[in-house]
Short mmCIF file of all heavy atoms in Angstrom, two decimals:
data_model
loop_
_atom_site.label_atom_id
_atom_site.label_comp_id
_atom_site.label_asym_id
_atom_site.label_seq_id
_atom_site.Cartn_x
_atom_site.Cartn_y
_atom_site.Cartn_z
N ALA L 45 69.71 160.67 64.92
CA ALA L 45 68.94 159.56 64.33
C ALA L 45 68.35 158.63 65.39
O ALA L 45 67.58 157.72 65.07
CB ALA L 45 69.83 158.76 63.40
N GLY L 46 68.78 158.82 66.69
CA GLY L 46 68.26 157.94 67.73
C GLY L 46 69.16 156.72 67.92
O GLY L 46 70.09 156.47 67.15
N THR L 47 68.89 155.97 68.98
CA THR L 47 69.73 154.80 69.30
C THR L 47 69.48 153.63 68.37
O THR L 47 70.31 152.76 68.21
CB THR L 47 69.46 154.35 70.74
OG1 THR L 47 68.07 154.05 70.87
CG2 THR L 47 69.86 155.44 71.73
N GLY L 48 68.35 153.61 67.78
CA GLY L 48 68.04 152.49 66.90
C GLY L 48 67.65 151.26 67.71
O GLY L 48 67.60 151.26 68.94
N PRO L 49 67.45 150.17 67.08
CA PRO L 49 67.04 148.94 67.78
C PRO L 49 68.20 148.37 68.60
O PRO L 49 69.34 148.35 68.18
CB PRO L 49 66.66 147.99 66.64
CG PRO L 49 67.41 148.51 65.45
CD PRO L 49 67.48 150.00 65.62
N THR L 50 67.91 147.95 69.85
CA THR L 50 68.93 147.36 70.73
C THR L 50 69.30 145.96 70.24
O THR L 50 68.41 145.13 70.03
CB THR L 50 68.40 147.25 72.16
OG1 THR L 50 68.00 148.56 72.59
CG2 THR L 50 69.47 146.69 73.10
N PRO L 51 70.62 145.73 70.04
CA PRO L 51 71.02 144.39 69.55
C PRO L 51 70.73 143.33 70.61
O PRO L 51 71.06 143.48 71.78
CB PRO L 51 72.52 144.52 69.30
CG PRO L 51 72.96 145.66 70.16
CD PRO L 51 71.80 146.60 70.20
N ARG L 52 70.14 142.27 70.24
CA ARG L 52 69.78 141.19 71.14
C ARG L 52 70.96 140.24 71.31
O ARG L 52 71.60 139.84 70.35
CB ARG L 52 68.57 140.42 70.61
CG ARG L 52 67.33 141.27 70.50
CD ARG L 52 66.17 140.43 70.00
NE ARG L 52 65.87 139.35 70.93
CZ ARG L 52 64.93 138.43 70.70
NH1 ARG L 52 64.22 138.46 69.58
NH2 ARG L 52 64.72 137.48 71.59
N ARG L 53 71.28 139.92 72.62
CA ARG L 53 72.36 138.98 72.89
C ARG L 53 71.93 137.56 72.54
O ARG L 53 70.85 137.12 72.90
CB ARG L 53 72.77 139.03 74.36
CG ARG L 53 73.38 140.35 74.76
CD ARG L 53 73.80 140.30 76.22
NE ARG L 53 74.41 141.55 76.64
CZ ARG L 53 74.85 141.80 77.87
NH1 ARG L 53 74.71 140.84 78.79
NH2 ARG L 53 75.39 142.95 78.17
N ARG L 54 72.87 136.91 71.92
CA ARG L 54 72.56 135.55 71.50
C ARG L 54 72.77 134.59 72.66
O ARG L 54 73.85 134.48 73.20
CB ARG L 54 73.47 135.16 70.34
CG ARG L 54 73.09 133.83 69.72
CD ARG L 54 74.00 133.54 68.54
NE ARG L 54 73.66 132.26 67.93
CZ ARG L 54 74.32 131.75 66.89
NH1 ARG L 54 75.33 132.41 66.38
NH2 ARG L 54 73.96 130.59 66.41
N ARG L 55 71.75 133.94 73.08
CA ARG L 55 71.83 132.99 74.18
C ARG L 55 72.02 131.57 73.66
O ARG L 55 71.48 131.20 72.64
CB ARG L 55 70.56 133.04 75.02
CG ARG L 55 70.34 134.37 75.70
CD ARG L 55 69.08 134.31 76.54
NE ARG L 55 68.86 135.57 77.25
CZ ARG L 55 67.82 135.79 78.05
NH1 ARG L 55 66.92 134.83 78.22
NH2 ARG L 55 67.69 136.95 78.66
N TRP L 56 72.87 130.84 74.50
CA TRP L 56 73.11 129.44 74.13
C TRP L 56 71.85 128.64 74.39
O TRP L 56 71.22 128.79 75.45
CB TRP L 56 74.27 128.87 74.93
CG TRP L 56 75.60 129.18 74.32
CD1 TRP L 56 75.96 130.33 73.72
CD2 TRP L 56 76.72 128.32 74.27
NE1 TRP L 56 77.24 130.24 73.29
CE2 TRP L 56 77.75 129.03 73.61
CE3 TRP L 56 76.97 127.02 74.71
CZ2 TRP L 56 79.00 128.48 73.38
CZ3 TRP L 56 78.21 126.46 74.49
CH2 TRP L 56 79.21 127.19 73.81
N PRO L 57 71.53 127.77 73.50
CA PRO L 57 70.37 126.92 73.74
C PRO L 57 70.59 126.03 74.98
O PRO L 57 71.73 125.71 75.33
CB PRO L 57 70.27 126.07 72.47
CG PRO L 57 71.03 126.84 71.44
CD PRO L 57 72.10 127.58 72.17
N ARG L 58 69.53 125.68 75.61
CA ARG L 58 69.62 124.87 76.82
C ARG L 58 70.27 123.52 76.55
O ARG L 58 70.99 122.98 77.39
CB ARG L 58 68.22 124.66 77.39
CG ARG L 58 68.21 124.02 78.76
CD ARG L 58 66.81 123.97 79.28
NE ARG L 58 66.76 123.38 80.62
CZ ARG L 58 65.65 123.21 81.31
NH1 ARG L 58 64.49 123.60 80.80
NH2 ARG L 58 65.69 122.67 82.51
N LYS L 59 70.06 122.98 75.38
CA LYS L 59 70.64 121.68 75.04
C LYS L 59 72.16 121.74 75.03
O LYS L 59 72.84 120.80 75.42
CB LYS L 59 70.12 121.20 73.69
CG LYS L 59 68.64 120.86 73.70
CD LYS L 59 68.20 120.35 72.34
CE LYS L 59 66.72 119.97 72.36
NZ LYS L 59 66.27 119.46 71.04
N ARG L 60 72.71 122.89 74.57
CA ARG L 60 74.17 123.02 74.55
C ARG L 60 74.74 123.02 75.96
O ARG L 60 75.79 122.43 76.21
CB ARG L 60 74.56 124.30 73.81
CG ARG L 60 74.31 124.25 72.31
CD ARG L 60 74.93 125.44 71.62
NE ARG L 60 74.72 125.40 70.17
CZ ARG L 60 75.20 126.31 69.31
NH1 ARG L 60 75.91 127.33 69.79
NH2 ARG L 60 74.96 126.20 68.04
N TRP L 61 74.06 123.71 76.89
CA TRP L 61 74.53 123.71 78.28
C TRP L 61 74.48 122.31 78.88
O TRP L 61 75.38 121.91 79.63
CB TRP L 61 73.67 124.65 79.12
CG TRP L 61 74.02 126.11 78.92
CD1 TRP L 61 73.25 127.06 78.33
CD2 TRP L 61 75.22 126.75 79.32
NE1 TRP L 61 73.90 128.26 78.31
CE2 TRP L 61 75.11 128.11 78.93
CE3 TRP L 61 76.38 126.33 79.96
CZ2 TRP L 61 76.12 129.03 79.15
CZ3 TRP L 61 77.38 127.24 80.20
CH2 TRP L 61 77.25 128.58 79.80
N LEU L 62 73.44 121.57 78.57
CA LEU L 62 73.32 120.21 79.10
C LEU L 62 74.43 119.30 78.59
O LEU L 62 74.81 118.34 79.26
CB LEU L 62 71.95 119.62 78.73
CG LEU L 62 70.74 120.31 79.36
CD1 LEU L 62 69.45 119.68 78.86
CD2 LEU L 62 70.81 120.23 80.88
N VAL L 63 74.96 119.61 77.41
CA VAL L 63 76.07 118.82 76.87
C VAL L 63 77.41 119.33 77.41
O VAL L 63 78.31 118.55 77.73
CB VAL L 63 76.05 118.87 75.33
CG1 VAL L 63 77.29 118.19 74.76
CG2 VAL L 63 74.79 118.20 74.81
N LEU L 64 77.55 120.66 77.54
CA LEU L 64 78.81 121.25 77.94
C LEU L 64 79.15 120.98 79.40
O LEU L 64 80.32 120.68 79.73
CB LEU L 64 78.77 122.76 77.68
CG LEU L 64 80.05 123.54 78.02
CD1 LEU L 64 81.20 123.06 77.16
CD2 LEU L 64 79.84 125.04 77.84
N ILE L 65 78.18 121.07 80.30
CA ILE L 65 78.46 120.90 81.73
C ILE L 65 79.04 119.53 82.05
O ILE L 65 80.06 119.44 82.75
CB ILE L 65 77.18 121.18 82.56
CG1 ILE L 65 76.83 122.67 82.49
CG2 ILE L 65 77.37 120.76 84.01
CD1 ILE L 65 75.53 123.03 83.17
N PRO L 66 78.48 118.42 81.57
CA PRO L 66 79.12 117.12 81.85
C PRO L 66 80.54 117.01 81.30
O PRO L 66 81.41 116.40 81.92
CB PRO L 66 78.18 116.11 81.18
CG PRO L 66 76.87 116.81 81.10
CD PRO L 66 77.20 118.24 80.89
N ILE L 67 80.79 117.62 80.14
CA ILE L 67 82.14 117.57 79.56
C ILE L 67 83.14 118.28 80.46
O ILE L 67 84.24 117.79 80.71
CB ILE L 67 82.13 118.19 78.14
CG1 ILE L 67 81.31 117.31 77.20
CG2 ILE L 67 83.55 118.35 77.62
CD1 ILE L 67 81.16 117.89 75.81
N VAL L 68 82.73 119.45 80.99
CA VAL L 68 83.62 120.20 81.88
C VAL L 68 83.88 119.42 83.17
O VAL L 68 85.01 119.33 83.65
CB VAL L 68 83.01 121.59 82.20
CG1 VAL L 68 83.83 122.30 83.27
CG2 VAL L 68 82.94 122.43 80.94
N LEU L 69 82.82 118.82 83.73
CA LEU L 69 82.98 118.06 84.97
C LEU L 69 83.88 116.84 84.77
O LEU L 69 84.73 116.54 85.62
CB LEU L 69 81.61 117.62 85.49
CG LEU L 69 80.68 118.74 85.97
CD1 LEU L 69 79.34 118.18 86.40
CD2 LEU L 69 81.32 119.52 87.11
N VAL L 70 83.70 116.15 83.67
CA VAL L 70 84.55 114.98 83.39
C VAL L 70 86.00 115.40 83.19
O VAL L 70 86.92 114.74 83.67
CB VAL L 70 84.03 114.23 82.15
CG1 VAL L 70 85.02 113.15 81.70
CG2 VAL L 70 82.67 113.60 82.44
N THR L 71 86.21 116.53 82.52
CA THR L 71 87.57 117.02 82.32
C THR L 71 88.23 117.36 83.65
O THR L 71 89.39 117.00 83.90
CB THR L 71 87.55 118.27 81.42
OG1 THR L 71 86.93 117.93 80.16
CG2 THR L 71 88.97 118.77 81.15
N LEU L 72 87.49 118.05 84.53
CA LEU L 72 88.05 118.37 85.84
C LEU L 72 88.34 117.12 86.65
O LEU L 72 89.35 117.04 87.36
CB LEU L 72 87.07 119.27 86.61
CG LEU L 72 86.87 120.69 86.05
CD1 LEU L 72 85.79 121.42 86.84
CD2 LEU L 72 88.17 121.47 86.09
N LEU L 73 87.46 116.12 86.54
CA LEU L 73 87.68 114.87 87.27
C LEU L 73 88.93 114.14 86.78
O LEU L 73 89.71 113.62 87.58
CB LEU L 73 86.45 113.97 87.12
CG LEU L 73 86.50 112.62 87.86
CD1 LEU L 73 86.62 112.86 89.36
CD2 LEU L 73 85.26 111.79 87.53
N VAL L 74 89.14 114.15 85.48
CA VAL L 74 90.33 113.50 84.92
C VAL L 74 91.59 114.23 85.37
O VAL L 74 92.59 113.61 85.76
CB VAL L 74 90.23 113.45 83.38
CG1 VAL L 74 91.56 112.99 82.77
CG2 VAL L 74 89.11 112.52 82.94
N VAL L 75 91.56 115.56 85.33
CA VAL L 75 92.72 116.34 85.77
C VAL L 75 93.01 116.08 87.25
O VAL L 75 94.17 115.91 87.64
CB VAL L 75 92.47 117.85 85.52
CG1 VAL L 75 93.57 118.69 86.15
CG2 VAL L 75 92.39 118.12 84.03
N TRP L 76 91.95 116.04 88.07
CA TRP L 76 92.14 115.76 89.50
C TRP L 76 92.73 114.37 89.72
O TRP L 76 93.64 114.19 90.53
CB TRP L 76 90.79 115.86 90.21
CG TRP L 76 90.82 115.35 91.61
CD1 TRP L 76 91.19 116.01 92.74
CD2 TRP L 76 90.45 114.03 92.04
NE1 TRP L 76 91.09 115.20 93.84
CE2 TRP L 76 90.65 113.98 93.44
CE3 TRP L 76 89.99 112.89 91.37
CZ2 TRP L 76 90.36 112.83 94.17
CZ3 TRP L 76 89.73 111.76 92.11
CH2 TRP L 76 89.91 111.73 93.49
N ALA L 77 92.22 113.37 88.98
CA ALA L 77 92.70 112.00 89.16
C ALA L 77 94.17 111.87 88.76
O ALA L 77 94.96 111.23 89.46
CB ALA L 77 91.84 111.04 88.34
N VAL L 78 94.54 112.49 87.65
CA VAL L 78 95.93 112.42 87.19
C VAL L 78 96.86 113.13 88.18
O VAL L 78 97.93 112.61 88.54
CB VAL L 78 96.06 113.02 85.78
CG1 VAL L 78 97.52 113.13 85.37
CG2 VAL L 78 95.31 112.18 84.77
N ALA L 79 96.44 114.31 88.64
CA ALA L 79 97.27 115.06 89.60
C ALA L 79 97.41 114.30 90.91
O ALA L 79 98.49 114.27 91.51
CB ALA L 79 96.66 116.44 89.84
N SER L 80 96.32 113.66 91.37
CA SER L 80 96.38 112.88 92.61
C SER L 80 97.33 111.69 92.46
O SER L 80 98.14 111.41 93.35
CB SER L 80 94.98 112.38 92.98
OG SER L 80 94.10 113.47 93.20
N TYR L 81 97.22 111.00 91.35
CA TYR L 81 98.08 109.82 91.12
C TYR L 81 99.55 110.21 91.09
O TYR L 81 100.39 109.55 91.70
CB TYR L 81 97.67 109.14 89.83
CG TYR L 81 98.42 107.86 89.57
CD1 TYR L 81 97.96 106.65 90.07
CD2 TYR L 81 99.59 107.85 88.81
CE1 TYR L 81 98.63 105.47 89.84
CE2 TYR L 81 100.28 106.67 88.58
CZ TYR L 81 99.79 105.48 89.10
OH TYR L 81 100.48 104.31 88.87
N LEU L 82 99.86 111.29 90.38
CA LEU L 82 101.25 111.72 90.29
C LEU L 82 101.79 112.17 91.65
O LEU L 82 102.96 111.92 91.97
CB LEU L 82 101.38 112.85 89.27
CG LEU L 82 101.08 112.47 87.81
CD1 LEU L 82 101.17 113.70 86.91
CD2 LEU L 82 102.02 111.37 87.32
N ALA L 83 100.94 112.82 92.45
CA ALA L 83 101.38 113.25 93.78
C ALA L 83 101.68 112.07 94.67
O ALA L 83 102.70 112.02 95.37
CB ALA L 83 100.32 114.15 94.41
#
Side-chain angles (χ1 to χ4, degrees):
T47 58
T50 303
R52 297 181 62 183
R53 294 182 180 179
R54 187 178 180 182
R55 296 182 178 180
W56 276 38
R58 189 175 181 180
K59 292 182 178 180
R60 289 190 179 182
W61 283 112
L62 294 177
V63 173
L64 181 62
I65 291 175
I67 292 176
V68 173
L69 293 177
V70 171
T71 302
L72 292 175
L73 181 62
V74 171
V75 172
W76 169 84
V78 172
S80 299
Y81 185 87
L82 294 177

